[in-house]
Amino acid sequence: MAHTGMRWERSGRKFHAEQRIAPVRARQGRAGYRILTVLVAALVLAFLVWIPVAIWGEKQADDIAPQNNGPAPVESAPPAR
């Protein structure tokens, strides 16, 4: 069967003519400075929120269970006479 440039569309149950679209027009998204600006701004905002939360979380952890930075000092007994 020869290809006639028609295709069956299941949703409309009709034949539709196929169209050729240039590769430049068929792209899914745009690239440019606007999108880059939005992505960088979102990253900066995420860090601006993350830094205070991390500091607050460390403070809360130290308040609940203070860290011991080494073994407890051993008190030596006075020398026997």
Side-chain angles (χ1 to χ4, degrees):
M1 183 171 185
H3 184 65
T4 60
M6 302 292 280
R7 64 179 170 85
W8 179 259
E9 187 174 285
R10 190 178 292 251
S11 64
R13 298 183 186 225
K14 299 177 184 175
F15 280 109
H16 296 279
E18 289 186 353
Q19 298 176 359
R20 292 259 182 212
I21 300 174
V24 174
R25 286 195 51 151
R27 291 190 307 184
Q28 294 295 315
R30 295 185 290 170
Y33 291 110
R34 287 183 182 178
I35 295 172
L36 180 62
T37 303
V38 169
L39 292 174
V40 169
L43 187 62
V44 168
L45 287 174
F47 277 119
L48 288 176
V49 170
W50 183 264
I51 291 170
V53 169
I55 292 170
W56 178 78
E58 288 223 6
K59 181 183 176 304
Q60 293 288 30
D62 286 342
D63 289 347
I64 292 172
Q67 293 182 357
N68 190 359
N69 291 335
V74 178
E75 294 182 20
S76 59
R81 290 190 175 197

